[in-house]
Amino acid sequence: MLGRFRGSRSQAAPPPGDRRSAGPSTAARTRRHAGHRRRTLPGPGTLAAQVFLLQVVVILLLVAAATSALVLQARHDAETNARQRSLATAQTLAHAPGTAAALRSSDPTPLLQAATVRAKDGADLDFVAVLNTAGTRVADSAPDRVGTRARDVGRALAGETFTDLHRGEPTEAVRAVVPVTDRNGRVVGVVQAGIRVGTLGHLLDRQVPMMVGGATLALALATGGTALVSRRLRRQTHGLDPAEMTRMYEHHDAVLHAVREGVLIVGADGRLLLANDEARRLLDLPPDADRRHVTELDLGPRLTRLLVAGEIASDQVCPAKDRLLAVNTRRTAPYRGAPGLVASFRDTTELQRLSGRAEVARGRLTLLYEAGVRIGTSLDVRHTAEELAEVAVPRLADVVTVELLEAVLEGEEPTGAVHRMRRTAVRGALPDTPLQPVGEQIRFVVADTPMAAALRRGKAVLVPDLHRAEDWRAHDPEGARRVLRSGIHSLITVPLRARGVVLGMVSFWRGGGTPRFEEEDVAVAEELGARAAVAIDNARRYAREHEMAVTLQRSLLPQDLPEQDALEVAWRYLPAQSGVGGDWFDVIPLPGFRVALVVGDVVGHGLHAAVTMGRLRTAVLNFSSLDLPPEELLGHLDEMVGRMDVLGGGDVEGSLVTGATCLYAIYDPVSGCCTVARAGHVAPVVVDPEGQVALPDLPLSPPLGVGGQPFEASELTLQEGSRLVLFTDGLVEDRRRDIDEGLRMLADAVAGSDRTPEETCRALMETLLPGRPSDDVALLVARTRLLAADHVASWDVPFDAAAVSRVRAEVNRRLEQWQLQDSLFAAELILSELLTNAIRYGAPPVRVRLLLGRTLVCEVSDGSNTSPRPRQATTTDEGGRGLFLVSQFAERWGTRYAAHDKVIWAELNPGGVTEPDPTALLDQLAW
């Protein structure tokens, strides 16, 4: 009945009056589809397949259960049989005449061994054994086990007969254990007999193939019968039932006509076979379109050509009357249907319009994103204005002009006068732009111009058509005519405002074939102006702070080097690209024609680094006036930095001085010795007179402010004409290279003889710093000189006051040789006072040294560490006026300490000493 019902259903006509022309063809395709399914194997969802699978599963379960039951039953029977046979054999041997008597004999093994073996062979068991009351085997079917002990026979020794599944020596087996009793019922031994489990397994193995064969045969017969039944059922139902066929037809028809996508089926001859409702609406098909050729349907040349050619297309846009349709075509032949073509259509007219708007919006968003990335890359006002113009051309405008206030260009705060600006940037995609060039002053004095209106309102002004607008021509009619002749026709002008203050003006111009500006472009222009204004204001503020820091830095650095005879010095200071930092240098003359060279670095940039540098440089100048050794001076400087950090606290960001380094060197032109100590600073480079470069290995101490470790100094002996190169790490270290590579480049640059310090500085700048450095650079190059040997005189003085006159006479003769007769009186007075004090209050050895250079230096050293100090003598005091006289006749005087002695020195002008007024001098001495 199912077959007859399906046949009648397939031949039924659609209801009268149904306007869907696809009904008959759809029913025919459904019948062909059903026939196609009848020729294939049933899927797992068909009724026949489900019945077949269910029956197979049931049969498998039944066969498996039966086989398992048979195997278990066979195993149980085999084990029961083994228990019975073992028990019977054990009882027979235990109750046999003579077994109990043999066990009571002194040597039961010869009496029982043969009987044990016969019992095992006769009952076809695996083992039989006779045990004494100690559990020791006295006879066993395996002779090698005689004398061994058996396990788990305690129950039998107690008089109990039992069988069990023994798991132990000699093997896993089913055994029976029977006690042997005498006439009095006492247990005199035990007999055990059994069959190994492996033997039972062999028995089962012989039975299992028969069981499996039977189960397989039963399974094959049952499966074959089930397959025959399922085939018959599949042939009757064709894999479907009537309800499914009806549902399939209704769903197919509903989807085809309700979907919002047009569908056409064209036959191999080019005639229309099917068109759903959406296709009829989109293509405006006539009611009699079925079976007509597609060339007769007025579909448009492009769509008609696509359907006739039978080409495969994906989302190809074709015009159809007043619509734009996205067409997809596929052939029907590969899908076992009749040769033909299936085409689907989607209306993309509105989508195309929205896509164009979205593309414009996406372009504007991309422009704003690029503006955020490209505007403000450098902290330079003019460069930021140029970046604004570069971003906007040609994405937003054909020509862009930027004007800024003079105060903004100079880094100052903008004033209220905004009607005069300086053109800062011009960028144009049009040739021969007739606008004022960069650098000219632009005045916005006419109130009706768009620029003046934008400044007055504080927001952008749009002039969509410059040809029709008249107000913008009032200020410069001739210039306006040139602009119009160049093709410029539309304008948006935007004031550049930041923090509520006008900084300048940006104007966007369009010309040529570019469409004029619209209202949507105004928002983009204002956003560009707002972002650029913030960047320009940041650059302006940075320029002001940078200028302040540079001014402060240069005011704190040495303006000129002091005059001295020991070194020929040249220097360079170059601030970092991002701002000044804390690098500094100094050249400090010391007594005895010695010179101190200082190079330091404070980590960081800006005003704080510059102020910290000034404090450290002032401290070094003050400490050097005490004429301290380099290591002691760095120790005092380190202690001062620690106090600065403690007093400054850590609450204010950047208030600490951590990261400050310093190198302090003292060069003595008499001995050519240079004493160097460094606190975290890079070591100097030494170039000998022949041009050989050396990097001395000097002890390195922690940076200033770390504390906890003493500083260590090292001495370098320098030949005359050697160059000492002191520098900060910014010279040799950079993002592009490490410090080792920088030191190698520095050594190559300073190598060679006959170079002055100035030439050395120039070579280093050109080689290592071709552009602006990323860090501050301080460079100091000093070429050494030695004091002539005939300008140095020294005497060892006996520790006796009588020797003062003799030394004074020798000093006078040496001064006469130096032609310093004018200084004889002052030098004699100073030497007498200093030498007398050394002998009276000091300790041996006493030594006198004269140095002649730019000045005359008289030095007296002794072995004590007590320092004389001037005091104000009263009228009744007999002493206390010597140092007063020294201070009056000497240009300068002072005391310095060495490792084992002290030196009191006085410096005189070799051109003659200006003697003080005798009257005033006597009055002061008498006070």
Side-chain angles (χ1 to χ4, degrees), residues 74 86-87 91 100 325 356 481 599 691 715 764 773 788:
S86 300
L87 181 60
Q91 287 177 340
L325 303 179
R481 283 192 292 270
V599 175
E715 292 187 354
L764 287 174

Side-chain angles (χ1 to χ4, degrees), residues 447-521:
D448 294 335
T449 60
M451 291 74 173
L455 291 174
R456 184 175 63 254
R457 300 174 188 174
K459 60 181 182 179
V461 171
L462 168 65
V463 183
D465 191 352
L466 292 174
H467 292 276
R468 297 183 179 180
E470 297 291 339
D471 49 5
W472 72 284
R473 309 184 190 186
H475 176 61
D476 186 6
E478 181 59 30
R481 283 192 292 270
R482 287 197 304 269
V483 169
L484 295 177
R485 283 198 300 267
S486 68
I488 295 177
H489 57 77
S490 190
L491 166 68
I492 295 178
T493 181
V494 182
L496 298 175
R497 296 169 57 88
R499 299 179 293 113
V501 179
V502 175
L503 306 177
M505 175 75 65
V506 56
S507 299
F508 303 93
W509 312 77
R510 281 187 179 177
T514 308
R516 65 186 185 180
F517 286 113
E518 299 178 355
E519 289 294 336
E520 291 81 359
D521 298 315

Side-chain angles (χ1 to χ4, degrees), residues 634 638 660-662 678-681 700-711:
L634 290 183
D638 178 70
T661 66
C662 182
R678 57 186 182 133
H681 202 83
L700 178 62
S701 300
L704 299 176
V706 175
Q709 294 185 9
F711 292 91

Side-chain angles (χ1 to χ4, degrees), residues 870-883:
R871 62 187 180 89
Q872 193 74 36
T874 63
T875 56
T876 59
D877 289 339
E878 296 182 358
R881 298 177 179 85
L883 292 179

Side-chain angles (χ1 to χ4, degrees), residues 685 687 691 693-695 742-752 764 768:
V685 174
V687 187
V693 179
L695 280 73
L743 288 174
R744 287 194 296 269
M745 295 176 62
L746 184 146
D748 295 339
V750 301
L764 287 174
L768 298 176

Side-chain angles (χ1 to χ4, degrees), residues 204-406:
L204 291 176
D205 291 341
R206 291 195 295 269
Q207 298 175 5
V208 167
M210 184 182 300
M211 297 178 186
V212 173
T216 303
L217 179 60
L219 179 61
L221 293 174
T223 303
T226 302
L228 293 175
V229 173
S230 297
R231 181 179 179 183
R232 179 65 178 172
L233 180 61
R234 185 175 68 253
R235 186 175 298 171
Q236 292 294 327
T237 62
H238 301 285
L240 295 172
D241 58 12
E244 185 179 1
M245 288 292 296
T246 303
R247 186 168 59 253
M248 184 178 66
Y249 174 81
E250 292 175 349
H251 289 178
H252 176 272
D253 203 33
V255 171
L256 183 64
H257 293 281
V259 69
R260 300 304 299 170
E261 185 167 327
V263 178
L264 287 183
I265 299 180
V266 181
D269 56 355
R271 295 186 178 276
L272 181 64
L273 301 180
L274 181 145
N276 68 347
D277 295 347
E278 185 68 8
R280 292 178 180 275
R281 185 184 70 83
L282 293 176
L283 301 176
D284 196 15
L285 296 177
D288 59 344
D290 292 342
R291 307 304 302 176
R292 294 178 60 181
H293 201 276
V294 294
T295 57
E296 303 173 2
L297 300 178
D298 191 21
L299 302 179
R302 188 172 178 181
L303 180 57
T304 301
R305 184 169 58 253
L306 184 63
L307 296 177
V308 171
E311 298 176 353
I312 297 177
S314 297
D315 290 332
Q316 184 170 344
V317 178
C318 297
K321 297 182 179 176
D322 58 345
R323 293 186 176 93
L324 288 176
L325 303 179
V327 183
N328 293 276
T329 58
R330 294 293 185 273
R331 296 189 180 95
T332 60
Y335 304 100
R336 304 191 65 176
L341 189 73
V342 176
S344 61
F345 308 90
R346 294 194 314 273
D347 189 358
T348 62
T349 306
E350 186 64 24
L351 180 62
Q352 194 80 4
R353 189 178 299 113
L354 294 176
S355 177
R357 295 178 182 176
E359 187 65 27
V360 174
R362 183 163 50 251
R364 290 169 178 168
L365 290 176
T366 304
L367 174 63
L368 294 179
Y369 171 76
E370 291 184 2
V373 174
R374 295 173 54 186
I375 297 177
T377 58
S378 67
L379 294 174
D380 183 83
V381 174
R382 290 177 172 81
H383 186 67
T384 304
E386 293 171 357
E387 290 174 337
L388 169 60
E390 291 174 0
V391 168
V393 175
R395 302 283 293 278
L396 180 63
D398 295 316
V399 181
V400 174
T401 59
V402 182
E403 296 85 33
L404 297 177
L405 295 173
E406 295 282 357

